[in-house]
Amino acid sequence: MSTPEQNNFQAIISHAKEYGFVFPSSEIYDGLSAVYDYGPYGSELKKNIKDYWWKSMTQLHENIVGIDAAIFMHPTTWKASGHVDNFSDPMIDNKDSQKRYRVDHLIEGFAETLTAKGETEKAESILSQMDTLLAAEDYASLKKLIEENKISCPISGTCNWTDIRQFNLMFDTKLGSVTDEADTIYLRPETAQGIFVNFLNVQKTARMKIPFGIAQTGKAFRNEIVARQFIFRMREFEQMEMQFFVRPGTEGEWYQYWKEARLQWHLSLGIDAKKYRYHDHVKLAHYAKEACDIEFEFPFGFKEVEGIHSRSDFDLTQHQLFSKKKMQYFDADVDASTGKPYGNYVPYVVETSIGLDRMFLLILSNAYHEETITKEDGTTDSRTVLHIPAKIAPNKLAILPLTKKDGLPEIARALTDECKPFFKCFYEEKDAIGKRYRRQDAIGTPFCVTIDHQSKEDNSVTIRYRDSMLQERVPLNKIKEIVLKEIS
Ligand code: GAP
């Protein structure tokens, strides 16, 4: 039996497809697992989220600049970064269904079913045993945990498992036509390395002084074995990452700064603070000094949307070692304790890394509401509405002449021409006005303007607000200003 949360999540996925936000990739061939395409409203929303992040990084911070590095990188990059040797997950195969699972996902899925049955304590105990065994890389005991709890394959229903093995998550391909080993290159699993290898190019050409940041958005690829929960975990996805280069010894305060600043960025979209929480990592990667996730309450529970990582000088030092090129910065500022300049050093890095698709899912699931409306005469109606923050909504203003004649479309067209250089407008003449309002609610348009016969008399129009459904009569020549104020 499915829970109300699962039903709600299914409704969000259906809504995303029906209203042109997200489609399964190559759907006419039955789709490709964990790969998705963004439709007309989805691509607008995704771009708006990306722009909102990009501006907050590179426009509101004078000491952050952007780059756009290639997806393909020299293969040694991934040797140096540790991804060739360490970017793997423990997997287990079911011998009957031939399906492969990530061990933690398999056990988490089982724990979720226990929780749904009210066996919360048992679920928590299994998860905590799993955490300990994963940290110790004790795969024999992990397999025992699966067998003892009779965790079965969702496809075959059997517990006929292989041993647990590590699988690398990077996709590889060949450069050029020669197929020998040396030409194997990888689709980047994170955008961050494109920033590290360009550290000095950027520092010198943009004349950056420490502390400074380099921001980048772009595609990343991971061969996630079990990709679940719609666009939450994909094989091709987009990241928005920023590496902040600091003087060694100051990384602790910068880590705290970015931890707080990134949460404030999320809250600046007007989303309820109660839906967010930090999850500080207890088990740290060998190079990390501190790390935390910003988690959001998705319809399937609190999950990571963004990571803040204090990465020490690990990446730059590794690239220095493998490339034999200096990755150092000369700091001319004077150290008060010695009275001498800080001199040459490999900077420390604090990273902020957020998944664009995951942020999209956050916005969509937070925005989706099925509402019952009580009308003035006491009767009820219902609507499905996306309460997307106005500043990132796909369409900002729908312009709707009440009828297709009597000069109303001409007034509406003139308003569209006036507004469209400033924000995205949507023009529509067809269908009853109530039906048109519902369609705009469903795609999250924050403002609708209706031009009626009175508009011809006194140049006034009706503006309707999506969230409150309030309607107000305002001068036609004030519309652009009202919308600009609300979305800025
Ligand atoms: N450079 C650090 C890094 O890549 P990560 O925690 O592996 O860190 C950062 O990824 C963010 O990228 C995550 O918080 C998540 O939002 C997003 N992300 C990671 N894997 C993803 C996947 N398979 N599908 C969608 N988003 C993903």
Side-chain angles (χ1 to χ4, degrees), residues 189-191 216-218 220 222 237-241 353-354 356:
E190 61 169 10
T191 60
Q216 174 170 221
T217 68
R222 294 182 190 180
F237 58 100
E238 212 159 330
Q239 287 187 316
M240 307 189 285
E241 298 200 297
S353 175
I354 176 170
L356 175 54

Side-chain angles (χ1 to χ4, degrees), residues 190 192 222 224 232-234 237 239 241 304-307 309 311 351 353-355 358:
E190 61 169 10
R222 294 182 190 180
E224 301 280 4
F232 183 80
R233 196 179 305 284
M234 301 158 89
F237 58 100
Q239 287 187 316
E241 298 200 297
E304 169 187 352
V305 62
E306 173 158 8
H309 313 122
R311 291 180 76 127
E351 166 185 73
S353 175
I354 176 170
R358 219 171 261 191

Side-chain angles (χ1 to χ4, degrees), residues 38-78:
Y38 287 83
Y41 300 119
S43 53
E44 285 291 338
L45 175 58
K46 191 173 166 197
K47 190 179 171 302
N48 293 345
I49 297 171
K50 185 158 48 176
D51 289 349
Y52 190 64
W53 180 89
W54 186 256
K55 272 192 182 170
S56 86
M57 285 294 176
T58 67
Q59 193 168 315
L60 298 183
H61 290 93
E62 287 171 25
N63 58 350
I64 299 181
V65 288
I67 62 162
D68 183 8
I71 287 172
F72 290 144
M73 299 181 71
H74 192 285
T76 310
T77 309
W78 305 109

